[in-house]
Amino acid sequence: MRTPELLAKIDIPRHKLYYLEQKGYIKPHKTVIGEKEFREYNEEDVKKVEVIWKYLKKGFKYKIAFEKAMEEISTLQMSLIKNESVEKQ
């Protein structure tokens, strides 16, 4: 997903999205075409931005929002793994 699509989907201001990249919280793949540089966000980055933005809107600072987002995503992933293992039994 490219930047305009991500901005539209999550409704995060562009400068805040780029700040997340600057701080290393997300790492989009960059492609240069001619003189332009395009960012491509994978599903993991999109999910991170979505959850970090949720916490930023609640008033948390970037570092805390990132930590809370990572905790939430990790918990969600663990519950999905747990559910998959239960279904296989």
Side-chain angles (χ1 to χ4, degrees):
M1 177 179 297
R2 287 198 173 162
T3 303
E5 297 163 310
L6 181 63
L7 295 173
K9 176 182 173 133
I10 300 177
D11 197 31
I12 184 172
R14 184 179 301 265
H15 69 281
K16 292 192 181 284
L17 176 64
Y18 289 167
Y19 188 74
L20 294 176
E21 179 185 342
Q22 180 185 353
K23 295 304 266 182
Y25 298 145
I26 57 171
K27 294 180 173 80
H29 175 75
K30 294 180 181 176
T31 305
V32 176
I33 301 174
E35 294 182 14
K36 293 190 175 199
E37 181 177 78
F38 297 93
R39 291 168 171 86
E40 291 280 344
Y41 299 90
N42 61 29
E43 286 183 38
E44 182 182 340
D45 283 334
V46 172
K47 187 63 180 171
K48 283 182 186 178
V49 172
E50 195 170 43
V51 182
I52 292 169
W53 181 232
K54 176 177 83 171
Y55 287 110
L56 288 173
K57 288 192 300 186
K58 290 181 179 183
F60 290 97
K61 301 289 184 192
Y62 282 89
K63 184 177 180 183
I64 301 299
F66 174 73
E67 290 169 358
K68 287 184 155 301
M70 295 294 77
E71 184 179 313
E72 182 176 322
I73 290 168
S74 176
T75 301
L76 178 62
Q77 288 172 339
M78 292 304 289
S79 71
L80 288 174
I81 291 169
K82 186 177 177 182
N83 288 342
E84 285 176 4
S85 106
V86 168
E87 288 174 5
K88 287 181 181 178
Q89 293 176 357

